[in-house]
Amino acid sequence: MPSPLLTHPCTGPRVQGLDIYAIAEVDLQNYAGLLIPAHADQRFLATLMPKLERFLQAGGTLVICGHIAYPFLPELTPFVPLTVRSLEHYQVWRVKEHPIFDRVDTADLTFRKSVAGFYGRGHNPPPPSAVVLHRLGSPDGAPVDYFYRRSGGGRVLVHSGNDLWMYVTDDTSANRIAPQLLDWIESVDPS
């Protein structure tokens, strides 16, 4: 079944779906960004590390969702699950404004269909240069969303949960994430 990102009227015309294994043969310089879903084959992506690094060196944007198990960039480290599981620990706290999350209520991230925990259940530890956008549990909690720049101008956004674009069909403010994510990828804004 195709991702709602590919079929939704506000995002579908702006994206192209690729089989993850096709990345080995595709010229990535033809793309402004790559969206890596939560259930991607990270072992395979690790074999493409030099290609992904060249893409970033050329100014591309990489959006990574999910739990890092097999790092496919040198600065990525494995996922760390939350050690305490209570409703409060799943609460999403915005610690830095960013255009991707403009006018997105953190309550709509904390709860999806009245259930907490969809957004994140831990974190992929950020590299030292990362700017943390959201944390779980408290303003000092687990860094669930962050971005950083690579040399050459490339940008990496890491979301330590389900695909950010899964919200595109929601009837909450979270449905703003996918189109705003695409706007950010297409922008020349350094943030």
Side-chain angles (χ1 to χ4, degrees):
M1 185 171 182
S3 165
L5 184 71
L6 296 171
T7 58
H8 197 278
C10 73
T11 56
R14 300 173 67 187
V15 295
Q16 176 186 356
L18 290 175
D19 183 283
I20 190 91
Y21 303 105
I23 295 174
E25 305 304 322
V26 170
D27 182 359
L28 296 182
Q29 302 317 309
N30 295 323
Y31 298 90
L34 290 176
L35 305 176
I36 305 295
H39 300 290
D41 182 344
Q42 294 177 14
R43 287 182 184 169
F44 173 72
L45 289 171
T47 69
L48 300 179
M49 188 182 301
K51 186 172 190 168
L52 295 173
E53 290 195 281
R54 284 191 304 274
F55 172 71
L56 291 168
Q57 179 68 32
T61 299
L62 190 60
V63 178
I64 302 166
C65 293
H67 304 171
I68 300 299
Y70 298 95
F72 48 93
L73 290 174
E75 65 274 16
L76 296 178
T77 55
F79 179 78
V80 177
L82 289 175
T83 55
V84 178
R85 298 195 185 341
S86 70
L87 180 60
E88 292 77 27
H89 289 99
Y90 293 130
Q91 183 177 354
V92 177
W93 290 81
R94 181 161 298 132
V95 294
K96 175 85 172 152
E97 295 295 329
H98 194 275
I100 295 170
F101 300 101
D102 183 42
R103 293 179 283 156
V104 175
D105 188 334
T106 55
D108 294 335
L109 302 179
T110 300
F111 294 98
R112 184 167 194 240
K113 300 177 183 179
S114 301
V115 177
F118 277 101
Y119 196 75
R121 294 173 178 256
H123 71 286
N124 298 308
S129 64
V131 175
V132 176
L133 304 175
H134 291 116
R135 292 184 179 271
L136 295 175
S138 74
D140 297 319
V144 69
D145 293 317
Y146 58 85
F147 81 95
Y148 59 94
R149 282 207 165 282
R150 295 285 305 273
S151 62
R155 299 178 296 183
V156 179
L157 174 74
V158 177
H159 169 64
S160 306
N162 291 313
D163 298 339
L164 284 171
W165 43 92
M166 77 176 188
Y167 296 96
V168 72
T169 59
D170 282 14
D171 61 356
T172 70
S173 67
N175 66 18
R176 303 178 59 81
I177 296 171
Q180 292 176 169
L181 174 64
L182 297 179
D183 291 344
W184 179 70
I185 290 170
E186 295 168 351
S187 76
V188 293
D189 180 7
S191 61

